[in-house]
Amino acid sequence: MTTEFSSSSSSSSPSDRRIGALLRHLTAGSDSDNLSSVYASPTSGATGGSVFAHLVQAPEDPILGVTVAYNKDPSPVKLNLGVGAYRTEEGKPLVLNVVRKAEQQLINDRTRIKEYLPIVGLVEFNKLSAKLILGADSPAIRENRVTTVECLSGTGSLRVGGEFLAKHYHQKTIYITQPTWGNHPKIFTLAGLTVKTYRYYDPSTRGLNFQGLLEDLGAAPPGSIVLLHACAHNPTGVDPTIQQWEQIRQLMRSKGLMPFFDSAYQGFASGSLDTDAKPIRMFVADGGECLVAQSYAKNMGLYGERVGALSIVCKSSDVAGRVESQLKLVIRPMYSSPPIHGASIVAVILRDRNLFNEWTLELKAMADRIISMRKQLFEALRTRGTPGDWSHIIKQIGMFTFTGLNPAQVSYMTKEYHIYMTSDGRISMAGLSSKTVPHLADAIHAVATKTV
Ligand code: PLA
């Protein structure tokens, strides 16, 4: 190494320069050695193994990996019921008409620019998002004690909220439902929280384990964070009734537990935006604090636009202002500021009464189609005389049915029928159509009548 003796520095003394020259002369023969040692260094191109050679191949994501496998299957009858993405009766992805109109408006507006948004995102979008989830007449909004930041869809909103809590909230444990969306534990662990579960689903009734839920939340240390699926629980499709929500609220408030709502399916469960937001509004109405992560992926079909919002309802506008200032410190080093296009589409639709009404109709049509798929699948199994009680297909709500099929049955259906779903037996009803129901029913009938 000669760099320490470099004589190129203009500040070096004549004697330094002489020593440098002498050293270069003495080591002249090793110049090429120097070069080869550069080439052989761990990150150089020529020789040697990769510095990443020790890595093992990571498994595909349990949900998104289903689509990867589906895409590789050449079968003409293949069916993807893995990821929760809406399909039309023709099995095609859907861009809502109202979204097309909003985009046209945006394109026609020549004054629109592509500057960075502020760290908190599009301010009008944030206001409208808070109104959509909390209700236009929400006292919390009126009293200016809600802070809302635009985030990268539901996932980004959960992550930002998680990191904010890990940094600033006194309790670092978050309780999530057993089972839950597979990404929840990863998001919150990486955000710096400790993840624990509370009982939620009872496999024997394929319904809610309400007693277990109350016991587990009742035993959680005071102040713990509790993740609640606002509606259309993923993966089970089982939601508490409004009376049960009220009991959950009372219990949580009495123990000072912090509600963190994940609202990924507003409008998809019942077809009504207001009905699906009710549990959240019950918690906000009592004057207490909570967090809400919203996604527009499903209800506006804006999956790839990655548009969502995190709202934190506080006790006073003063606190809300300081919370927002700290949220900015979480966001800035993470992705600096959110994207502009998706949020602009949402703002155009939410601010215009006609477009808003049109959206609610399209949303209802999607929810209704899913409900009709439930009925058709249930009927198809009944006419086949498939053994077992399949009534949960019509009782469960939202995008998914938690069939009760086990991993072996699922893999049999994939191998023999080219039907793709997550290994826990969850099927996306939104991926089904009248044409594909018989194929799915045949597959379920087959696995239910033979030992796989
Ligand atoms: N929360 C829940 C409960 C979800 O089911 C999903 C998406 C999200 C948040 C995040 O969605 P977003 O970031 O796209 O807004 N769950 C899907 C897709 C639909 C996925 O796994 O990413 C699912 O198939 O479960």
Side-chain angles (χ1 to χ4, degrees):
M1 291 289 274
T2 58
T3 45
E4 290 159 72
F5 297 97
S6 163
S7 59
S8 62
S9 160
S10 54
S11 63
S12 59
S13 68
S15 66
D16 275 349
R17 277 201 295 275
R18 270 197 305 279
I19 293 171
L22 179 65
L23 220 105
R24 271 204 307 283
H25 172 73
L26 289 174
T27 58
S30 64
D31 255 19
S32 57
D33 289 358
N34 271 351
L35 217 60
S36 68
S37 76
V38 167
Y39 282 132
S41 85
T43 54
S44 68
T47 53
S50 166
V51 291
F52 302 117
H54 62 289
L55 292 194
V56 295
Q57 183 70 32
E60 290 286 356
D61 180 82
I63 296 175
L64 302 183
V66 173
T67 303
V68 176
Y70 167 84
N71 287 338
K72 286 185 193 151
D73 186 340
S75 166
V77 298
K78 67 179 178 176
L79 185 56
N80 186 4
L81 305 176
V83 66
Y86 185 83
R87 296 286 178 265
T88 62
E89 263 294 290
E90 289 68 48
K92 298 268 179 331
L94 178 68
V95 178
L96 298 187
N97 209 24
V98 73
V99 166
R100 296 246 189 249
K101 282 188 188 171
E103 285 193 308
Q104 201 54 57
Q105 256 191 44
L106 294 171
I107 288 167
N108 292 345
D109 181 355
R110 303 295 299 177
T111 66
R112 285 185 56 78
I113 48 168
K114 302 281 190 190
E115 288 290 284
Y116 291 130
L117 285 180
I119 297 172
V120 296
L122 195 66
V123 172
E124 187 193 11
F125 162 87
N126 291 341
K127 292 215 167 87
L128 292 164
S129 293
K131 257 171 73 175
L132 183 72
I133 194 72
L134 303 182
D137 54 354
S138 167
I141 295 178
R142 212 180 323 117
E143 291 153 17
N144 211 19
R145 52 186 177 83
V146 184
T147 178
T148 306
V149 290
E150 177 195 337
C151 296
L152 276 71
S153 214
T155 306
S157 308
L158 293 166
R159 175 66 189 258
V160 169
E163 271 197 40
F164 170 81
L165 291 170
K167 261 182 143 171
H168 301 293
Y169 184 60
H170 66 277
Q171 257 287 0
K172 311 292 181 205
T173 304
I174 185 163
Y175 283 79
I176 59 177
T177 60
Q178 174 59 40
T180 193
W181 179 47
N183 218 11
H184 276 150
K186 301 172 198 170
I187 291 171
F188 293 119
T189 302
L190 286 171
L193 296 170
T194 301
V195 175
K196 292 199 174 146
T197 58
Y198 61 97
R199 278 172 286 170
Y200 187 84
Y201 179 72
D202 183 349
S204 68
T205 62
R206 299 205 171 116
L208 188 67
N209 181 355
F210 191 51
Q211 202 48 44
L213 178 152
L214 293 179
E215 279 170 25
D216 288 352
L217 294 188
S224 301
I225 309 154
V226 179
L227 188 85
L228 301 159
H229 296 226
C231 68
H233 183 272
N234 179 7
T236 67
V238 173
D239 285 350
T241 63
I242 282 298
Q243 291 73 26
Q244 288 169 332
W245 272 118
E246 176 53 20
Q247 271 178 271
I248 296 169
R249 187 193 67 76
Q250 285 177 15
L251 172 70
M252 285 184 57
R253 290 310 196 197
S254 74
K255 293 206 59 192
L257 303 175
M258 174 61 96
F260 191 163
F261 282 99
D262 180 357
S263 176
Y265 300 97
Q266 189 186 1
F268 250 86
S270 68
S272 154
L273 289 158
D274 288 328
T275 305
D276 289 354
K278 209 150 186 194
I280 299 175
R281 294 178 189 175
M282 286 163 65
F283 275 77
V284 174
D286 68 18
E289 300 183 305
C290 67
L291 288 83
V292 186
Q294 272 171 279
S295 168
Y296 289 96
K298 270 69 71 171
N299 59 15
M300 256 188 217
L302 293 175
Y303 305 87
E305 295 291 353
R306 311 306 296 143
V307 56
L310 171 73
S311 288
I312 304 188
V313 180
C314 305
K315 290 241 171 108
S316 70
S317 72
D318 177 44
V319 171
R322 280 180 278 143
V323 164
E324 181 166 309
S325 73
Q326 292 293 339
L327 282 172
K328 285 161 70 174
L329 299 190
V330 172
I331 292 167
R332 171 68 168 149
M334 200 190 285
Y335 53 84
S336 192
S337 61
I340 196 166
H341 189 66
S344 304
I345 296 170
V346 174
V348 166
I349 294 169
L350 296 187
R351 85 158 82 100
D352 181 300
R353 186 190 291 269
N354 291 331
L355 291 180
F356 183 88
N357 289 339
E358 200 177 322
W359 173 45
T360 59
L361 296 178
E362 287 192 85
L363 179 56
K364 174 90 168 61
M366 287 193 284
D368 285 350
R369 203 189 76 73
I370 295 171
I371 292 166
S372 98
M373 286 304 109
R374 290 184 180 282
K375 292 187 184 136
Q376 287 184 32
L377 180 61
F378 178 69
E379 277 308 313
L381 292 173
R382 218 174 51 156
T383 46
R384 278 163 183 74
T386 307
D389 176 6
W390 297 95
S391 60
H392 57 287
I393 294 176
I394 40 180
K395 283 188 209 137
Q396 293 173 357
I397 193 164
M399 245 181 175
F400 304 108
T401 289
F402 207 41
T403 57
L405 296 167
N406 64 39
Q409 292 174 315
V410 169
S411 82
Y412 182 86
M413 285 168 65
T414 305
K415 205 161 135 257
E416 301 297 326
Y417 288 83
H418 306 275
I419 295 171
Y420 290 79
M421 65 181 90
T422 51
S423 61
D424 59 1
R426 183 192 87 166
I427 58 177
S428 171
M429 299 308 285
L432 211 53
S433 70
S434 305
K435 268 185 247 128
T436 52
V437 163
H439 183 53
L440 176 61
D442 287 345
I444 295 177
H445 187 78
V447 292
T449 45
K450 64 163 75 90
T451 30
V452 181

